Amino acid sequence: MAGRGGLLMLENFIGGKFLPCSSYLDSYDPSTGEVYCHVPNSGKEEVEAAVEAARAAFPGWSSRSPQERSQVLQRLADLLEQSLEELAQAESKDQGERGKTITLARTMDIPRAVHNFRFFASSILHHTSECTQMDHLGCLHYTVRAPVGIAALISPWNLPLYLLTWKIAPAIAAGNTVIAKPSELTSVTAWMMCRLLEKAGVPPGVVNIVFGTGPRVGEALVSHPEVPLISFTGSQPTAERIMQLSAPHCKKLSLELGGKNPAVIFEDANLAECIPTTVRSSFANQGEICLCTSRIFVQRSIYSEFLKRFVEAARMWKVGIPSDPSADMGALISKAHLEKVRSYIKKARMEGAQILCGEGVDKLNLPPRNQAGYFMLPTVITDVKDESCCMKEEIFGPVTCVVPFDSEEEVIQRANNVKYGLAATVWSGNVGRVHRVAKKLQSGLVWTNCWLIRELNLPFGGMKSSGVGREGAKDSYEFFTEVKTITVKH
Ligand SMILES: NC(=O)c1ccc[n+]([C@@H]2O[C@H](COP(=O)([O-])OP(=O)(O)OC[C@H]3O[C@@H](n4cnc5c(N)ncnc54)[C@H](O)[C@@H]3O)[C@@H](O)[C@H]2O)c1
Ligand SMILES: N/C(=C/C=C\C=O)C(=O)O
């Protein structure tokens, strides 16, 4: 929807209609300083309208069979796939030249959004319930599950459509109606998806999207008494706020939060595979993936060799403008985020750590028009203490720390010695060791001799401060439904 001066003007999608908002946020392209698009600055009024639409749509949608709902999700997946390139361009360019690379948007973000709908369109057809018998009492017990109602879905800026659809798909497949709030920093592809909903057969009011900031529209949504469940992905501070606001209503919460993910590399690791994969796990999407590696523990006997080869490979990781298909990573999401990431490197230097490559060491070569962009080189820190903030806090940027270890027991203790517990990688050719170490790491996800191979059927999520609950075929189904145990006496 073109707006003032031909700029993109997004609109809320409520009750199957695009509705203008009373006020808008200007979203700036930081590499030019110009307004890029206008995002609705929604508030209580818009949330109320969305709740009314979702409430009205719930009886009809929840009473459809899983088979009927599955067909709608399949059609939506087909329509998204037909718009893949358009969506990828938008995902990459959203927020101007500071977006993600077009290659990552084309090969990961949008294909996974399509797959999310396909996956839950299938999984909704195969869930089973439980049943037991008490013959001595002539009783039969069984469970039934039903959709909860209106689900609030709040998603972050790093993988916009990928993570938004990872919530929308299971929620509506189970028969709920939803009110989604994507990040105000990356709202365009969510808005573009709304244009496909009617054609896919999604009834008005089943999917509602309200755009705007967390404190204004996000808080109105999570505190609304008619919204019984909240699926949130984002930072821990925000999760804490959401828990406070939802507590009076005893809402069902799914919280997918941050990580400080270790890679544990033993001396018998296959470095020809380990190094390129660990470069990718450290710097993909500018390190702005919750599953990215940010602490690398290397067994001492191979530490020097690993460090030399890892730094060489990190220097080959191409930083470029998002529209360059050969770029491995683009710019960080905002000036504030870039400064936050840089501040960690400054702290590391002050603590006496060594910066082996990247920020402040190597020169960043960019076209003149992009030199105002929020770009940063992949950065490797060594000689850093476990107690350093660089080893304890989520940086969420292209920065990773590399430190040596000696024994298996030592590295497990050190890898676990953070408040987070989301993901980890373990590299060794010893199958007994990878199983043993994986079981002892305090992470919800452990990849061994690989990274980011996603099995959507199995639980996804973190422990400790990385979140509450899990997402996946069975886990999302159980989150987005209420279970009831029925006993029948013969
Ligand atoms: N575990 C995962 O699956 C996962 C995935 C991606 C990102 N993350 C985490 O998300 C963080 C980066 O994303 P971010 O910066 O968008 O996080 P964020 O918490 O700032 O924002 C996430 C979403 O919450 C909204 N929000 C902010 N304040 C709110 C409030 N008071 N009430 C309601 N909603 C509010 C935002 O508008 C946005 O839509 C990192 O910590 C990263 O690790 C986790
Ligand atoms: N939920 C997922 C998150 C992945 C990366 C987040 O930054 C997923 O892969 O399903």
Side-chain angles (χ1 to χ4, degrees):
M1 176 69 70
R4 297 188 297 268
L7 280 177
L8 199 52
M9 178 169 277
L10 310 189
E11 293 185 308
N12 290 326
F13 188 76
I14 297 172
K17 296 186 177 68
F18 287 103
L19 301 177
C21 189
S22 53
S23 68
Y24 286 83
L25 302 164
D26 284 343
S27 187
Y28 288 84
D29 174 347
S31 62
T32 61
E34 294 159 2
V35 177
Y36 165 75
C37 77
H38 302 297
V39 176
N41 187 18
S42 307
K44 284 184 178 178
E45 182 185 337
E46 289 75 17
V47 167
E48 203 52 54
V51 168
E52 188 178 330
R55 182 198 308 125
F58 182 75
W61 183 247
S62 59
S63 62
R64 288 199 189 185
S65 68
Q67 288 72 15
E68 290 170 314
R69 295 196 293 260
S70 172
Q71 288 168 0
V72 172
L73 268 73
Q74 287 287 12
R75 284 199 296 273
L76 184 50
D78 293 343
L79 292 169
L80 285 168
E81 190 166 53
Q82 290 162 23
S83 307
L84 191 145
E85 182 57 24
E86 185 190 4
L87 288 163
Q89 290 287 348
E91 199 74 297
S92 169
K93 291 180 182 174
D94 197 1
Q95 313 302 322
E97 291 291 5
R98 66 184 175 190
K100 68 179 64 235
T101 64
I102 184 63
T103 299
L104 198 68
R106 269 188 194 127
T107 60
M108 188 175 84
D109 287 73
I110 307 307
R112 174 63 194 276
V114 172
H115 185 59
N116 286 341
F117 282 108
R118 293 235 165 86
F119 177 79
F120 286 106
S122 169
S123 68
I124 193 63
L125 304 177
H126 305 291
H127 292 294
T128 59
S129 55
E130 298 164 276
C131 180
T132 64
Q133 292 172 262
M134 283 183 183
D135 293 342
H136 63 294
L137 297 176
C139 287
L140 177 78
H141 311 270
Y142 66 97
T143 60
V144 293
R145 284 188 170 274
V148 181
I150 303 172
L153 312 178
I154 300 180
S155 50
W157 50 259
N158 63 319
L159 301 172
L161 200 60
Y162 170 139
L163 290 172
L164 178 64
T165 56
W166 177 240
K167 297 177 185 297
I168 290 178
I172 65 174
N176 300 283
T177 53
V178 305
I179 303 173
K181 194 212 80 66
S183 172
E184 58 277 23
L185 296 178
T186 50
S187 302
V188 174
T189 47
W191 172 77
M192 291 170 71
M193 181 187 72
C194 292
R195 297 187 300 185
L196 306 173
L197 296 177
E198 183 180 5
K199 193 173 181 183
V202 179
V206 171
V207 175
N208 304 279
I209 300 191
V210 289
F211 298 100
T213 67
R216 180 172 156 80
V217 70
E219 296 204 354
L221 179 56
V222 301
S223 56
H224 197 288
E226 286 191 60
V227 176
L229 73 167
I230 302 164
S231 176
F232 169 75
T233 296
S235 66
Q236 188 190 348
T238 302
E240 288 171 15
R241 180 67 180 147
I242 291 172
M243 284 189 271
Q244 287 166 359
L245 292 169
S246 60
H249 307 283
C250 199
K251 298 190 179 199
K252 198 174 182 182
L253 297 180
S254 164
L255 304 172
E256 296 292 344
L257 310 181
K260 191 63 184 180
N261 308 314
V264 180
I265 302 170
F266 288 93
E267 58 193 7
D268 64 344
N270 177 342
L271 292 186
E273 290 182 10
C274 170
I275 287 171
T277 304
T278 307
V279 166
R280 185 166 64 90
S281 72
S282 299
F283 305 120
N285 203 45
Q286 307 75 245
E288 296 166 335
I289 297 178
C290 63
L291 304 170
C292 275
T293 300
S294 55
R295 294 181 291 150
I296 304 174
F297 295 90
V298 181
Q299 199 153 27
R300 199 175 299 277
S301 58
I302 61 164
Y303 182 70
S304 299
E305 180 193 0
F306 175 89
L307 212 46
K308 176 177 177 296
R309 291 169 62 177
F310 185 74
V311 168
E312 281 172 6
R315 283 183 160 134
M316 298 296 288
W317 190 256
K318 183 181 176 184
V319 179
I321 58 175
S323 56
D324 173 358
S326 68
D328 295 310
M329 78 179 216
L332 277 69
I333 187 67
S334 69
K335 186 175 181 60
H337 189 56
L338 174 63
E339 292 313 319
K340 173 193 165 189
V341 174
R342 282 177 169 160
S343 73
Y344 279 95
I345 297 165
K346 287 172 190 157
K347 287 171 194 165
R349 279 204 175 87
M350 287 166 63
E351 292 166 350
Q354 297 300 309
I355 315 300
L356 297 191
C357 65
E359 182 70 15
V361 177
D362 299 311
K363 186 176 182 318
L364 183 52
N365 296 313
L366 288 166
R369 75 178 296 271
N370 298 101
Q371 285 168 11
Y374 306 136
F375 295 91
M376 175 179 170
L377 285 167
T379 298
V380 177
I381 302 175
T382 62
D383 296 338
V384 57
K385 296 181 175 57
D386 286 10
E387 295 67 44
S388 166
C389 61
C390 293
M391 288 283 280
K392 288 284 189 185
E393 299 171 17
E394 180 183 59
I395 299 173
F396 212 57
V399 181
T400 196
C401 298
V402 187
V403 294
F405 74 90
D406 294 302
S407 72
E408 183 179 309
E409 294 68 27
E410 170 210 338
V411 72
I412 288 167
Q413 186 276 325
R414 292 172 63 191
N416 288 339
N417 190 23
V418 290
K419 69 177 186 177
Y420 292 105
L422 184 55
T425 58
V426 179
W427 293 87
S428 169
N430 180 324
V431 67
R433 174 147 63 192
V434 291
H435 284 282
R436 187 171 59 243
V437 173
K439 287 175 184 172
K440 291 180 179 175
L441 287 173
Q442 294 170 359
S443 297
L445 304 144
V446 182
W447 282 286
T448 70
N449 299 316
C450 65
W451 179 66
L452 203 55
I453 295 178
R454 287 282 291 108
E455 165 47 272
L456 307 189
N457 280 297
L458 296 187
F460 175 97
M463 57 181 76
K464 299 173 29 177
S465 291
S466 288
V468 175
R470 295 292 189 272
E471 295 174 316
K474 183 168 179 286
D475 299 88
S476 295
Y477 179 64
E478 291 181 352
F479 177 72
F480 287 113
T481 57
E482 282 294 1
V483 67
K484 181 185 295 181
T485 299
I486 297 171
T487 296
V488 179
K489 185 160 176 27
H490 305 300

